Amino acid sequence: MPTDSAEFFDPPRTPSPPREIAKQPTLMSSKVVPEDAEPFSDYQNRPNKKRPLAAEDAADLPASVVVVEKSTTNVKNATTTAASTLTEKEAPSQPRGQVDASIISTDGDDRTSKDYYFDSYSHHAIHEEMLKDEVRTRTYEMAIMQNSHLFEGKTVLDVGCGTGILSMFAAKAGAKHVYGIDCSSIVEQARKIVDINGFSDQITILKGKVEEVELPVTEVDIIISEWMGYFLLYESMLDTVLFARDKWLVKDGIIFPDKAVMYICGVEDGQVKKDRIDFWGDVYGFDMSPIKDLAIKEPVVDVVDAKAIVTDSVPILRLDILTCKKEDLEFTSKFRILAQRNDYIHGLVAYFECAFTQVHKPIGFSTAPFCRYTHWKQTIFYLEDNLVVCEGEQLEGEISCKPNKKNPRDLDIDLSLSFSGEHSDVVKNMQYRLR
């Protein structure tokens, strides 16, 4: 639940170099946590180790949660937009939720951008990117398959089922029946996928908006959904999950995942800011600063080098999907971050972590710069004024987030900063739009 109280601030989460990653066996058929998967409590007393999903930092998450990460090389630098796990050929060029004009014809079309949201998920490339994100997909697989006792004989709802991968995990785990709902035309392929994999009697794929579809049952035992967007809340799909929860989920039902926490920290990112923002000040000798004024107001979704993080990380939003309300997704949160070294701050970075805690052995994943790549990457808010910080100095701020009035799937984000240091003083309010 969002809060701006003093108790919201956690012990500092200090940045550190990316930790060395040992090779892990494939988890495709594994029904147990791999031997080298480390419980979160193991990170508490280890120097220079960033906990992927803080338990004591986020009171909602139990200390027994285990993070699931893909074995890959570390991300090398902040200017790399593709993951180390994906080649440029494999990584789709369109960001998640955006529409490729070559896919959708607008001739004689009076639809809005809200309608195009569903069309963007009709193209296979966006599903390829998500499926190849093994941190994401393996975590769901392990959460479901390692807890087949929860699914045995149960009715399951998959909100935003896409290709049907989560529905098939649930059916394989022993669910009595799975209902998958998606509003995009990918459902045509999903039905074929379900059929050729032998689940046609166990899985029903429905096309339509969750808010308008009528299920052939009055209640479900479990809801599974991969609803997270950039900055956790982009695309506003969580609204739909909460609608499904209130309409169909039985009392004491299960939601996968059921916890989410979002964090913020400071980053030294001068070269990338110069390439992306300052570029518009002098373009082949011409002043294009009016575009610079637009560019600075749009958050950048990209991979951030863990070594570029110069402050601790603090939570700005906690969500319990079992109990939160739609109103909680519009939040305002105060924060205070501490410089860990003498450096510069060119922007603030947001990332999130999710957990499945209603299972026998809770697990989760992180999208932090300190952890392995996910297709969510991180969200960067570049500042108009660069900050010169010394170790131990504090940057105080407040961040507010709400859906855009014209297109609720976009986010309007306001950021207020107050800093008084040895070399710089800044009091600033900035407005961003994530779209």
Side-chain angles (χ1 to χ4, degrees):
M1 302 288 286
T3 178
D4 58 3
S5 63
E7 65 182 12
F8 193 60
F9 302 114
D10 293 336
R13 306 177 76 199
T14 57
S16 63
R19 55 192 176 92
E20 293 299 320
I21 300 169
K23 295 278 187 178
Q24 289 182 188
T26 178
L27 307 179
M28 178 67 77
S29 60
S30 175
K31 292 190 177 182
V32 298
V33 177
E35 290 181 358
D36 56 350
E38 300 168 288
F40 282 48
S41 55
D42 289 352
Y43 284 84
Q44 296 176 6
N45 300 314
R46 298 175 65 183
N48 299 322
K49 294 289 183 179
K50 163 70 172 61
R51 293 189 304 279
L53 189 57
E56 77 280 12
D57 289 352
D60 294 334
L61 306 182
S64 58
V65 172
V66 175
V67 72
V68 177
E69 300 177 323
K70 176 180 166 66
S71 296
T72 65
T73 56
N74 290 314
V75 177
K76 294 184 182 299
N77 59 66
T79 61
T80 305
T81 57
S84 58
T85 57
L86 294 177
T87 65
E88 184 175 351
K89 180 178 179 181
E90 291 172 326
S93 59
Q94 284 298 116
R96 182 178 180 184
Q98 287 193 8
V99 181
D100 188 335
S102 66
I103 300 172
I104 303 168
S105 173
T106 60
D107 295 340
D109 194 345
D110 59 358
R111 292 175 297 173
T112 68
S113 58
K114 290 181 285 187
D115 298 309
Y116 295 145
Y117 163 76
F118 296 111
D119 288 322
S120 70
Y121 282 90
S122 299
H123 196 260
H124 67 85
I126 199 169
H127 296 281
E128 178 184 358
E129 180 186 27
M130 291 187 289
L131 291 169
K132 285 183 175 179
D133 182 346
E134 292 198 23
V135 172
R136 162 199 180 267
T137 309
R138 296 293 189 203
T139 305
Y140 276 89
E141 180 189 30
M142 293 177 68
I144 295 171
M145 299 308 299
Q146 292 179 13
N147 295 279
S148 57
H149 60 284
L150 298 177
F151 286 81
E152 189 70 36
K154 298 299 176 63
T155 302
V156 179
L157 174 61
D158 182 357
V159 176
C161 63
T163 57
I165 184 69
L166 302 186
S167 295
M168 291 188 291
F169 286 155
K172 187 176 178 181
K176 177 181 179 181
H177 203 90
V178 183
Y179 296 96
I181 305 177
D182 203 290
C183 199
S184 75
S185 61
I186 196 68
V187 297
E188 302 302 327
Q189 284 70 41
R191 288 167 180 158
K192 295 176 182 178
I193 292 169
V194 165
D195 183 57
I196 64 176
N197 282 279
F199 293 113
S200 56
D201 293 335
Q202 204 175 354
I203 299 175
T204 300
I205 303 294
L206 304 170
K207 185 172 189 263
K209 296 181 180 179
V210 170
E211 294 82 356
E212 300 172 359
V213 167
E214 289 298 329
L215 293 180
V217 295
T218 58
E219 58 185 22
V220 299
D221 303 295
I222 301 173
I223 292 177
I224 54 177
S225 180
E226 193 272 84
W227 54 265
M228 298 76 74
Y230 301 136
F231 192 68
L232 185 64
L233 299 178
Y234 177 63
E235 297 176 340
S236 299
M237 189 177 163
L238 181 53
D239 296 8
T240 300
V241 175
L242 301 185
F243 177 91
R245 177 200 68 187
D246 295 341
K247 184 173 182 178
W248 289 300
L249 188 64
V250 299
K251 183 180 179 181
D252 299 324
I254 295 173
I255 299 181
F256 275 30
D258 62 296
K259 299 290 190 299
V261 184
M262 184 155 54
Y263 298 88
I264 199 165
C265 56
V267 65
E268 185 284 310
D269 208 14
Q271 185 59 51
V272 179
K273 182 184 178 184
K274 179 180 179 181
D275 294 341
R276 289 181 176 270
I277 309 298
D278 298 338
F279 161 78
W280 296 105
D282 183 357
V283 182
Y284 297 100
F286 298 103
D287 184 348
M288 295 190 178
S289 55
I291 297 181
K292 178 181 178 180
D293 295 338
L294 296 176
I296 194 73
K297 295 178 180 179
E298 187 163 329
V300 174
V301 176
D302 207 343
V303 176
V304 174
D305 187 348
K307 295 179 181 178
I309 302 300
V310 300
T311 72
D312 58 351
S313 299
V314 298
I316 55 173
L317 178 68
R318 290 191 182 97
L319 292 174
D320 183 335
I321 315 306
L322 293 166
T323 60
C324 70
K325 301 177 181 179
K326 182 177 179 179
E327 294 75 23
D328 297 327
L329 309 187
E330 294 186 26
F331 71 92
T332 297
S333 177
K334 295 181 185 295
F335 62 87
R336 184 184 302 114
I337 51 179
L338 186 71
Q340 302 295 308
R341 62 177 184 258
N342 296 346
D343 214 320
Y344 304 91
I345 294 180
H346 299 99
L348 298 182
V349 174
Y351 62 90
F352 64 88
E353 301 171 334
C354 289
F356 305 73
T357 70
Q358 292 180 283
V359 298
H360 182 65
K361 186 174 184 180
I363 63 173
F365 65 87
S366 175
T367 66
F370 316 97
C371 298
R372 299 184 181 110
Y373 170 86
T374 72
H375 76 282
W376 290 288
K377 306 172 187 174
Q378 292 87 40
T379 304
I380 311 161
F381 300 87
Y382 286 110
L383 306 179
E384 292 179 357
D385 302 306
N386 300 331
L387 303 181
V388 182
V389 298
C390 298
E391 181 179 355
E393 293 182 340
Q394 294 183 345
L395 171 62
E396 295 185 353
E398 181 177 277
I399 186 168
S400 299
C401 175
K402 62 182 179 180
N404 179 265
K405 290 183 178 180
K406 292 185 177 180
N407 183 359
R409 295 195 181 276
D410 293 353
L411 295 176
D412 290 334
I413 302 166
D414 293 343
L415 186 62
S416 299
L417 297 177
S418 177
F419 177 74
S420 180
E422 181 179 349
H423 302 295
S424 61
D425 295 278
V426 172
V427 176
K428 192 76 173 180
N429 297 318
M430 294 189 65
Q431 289 77 44
Y432 302 86
R433 182 174 176 184
L434 182 57
R435 53 186 166 184

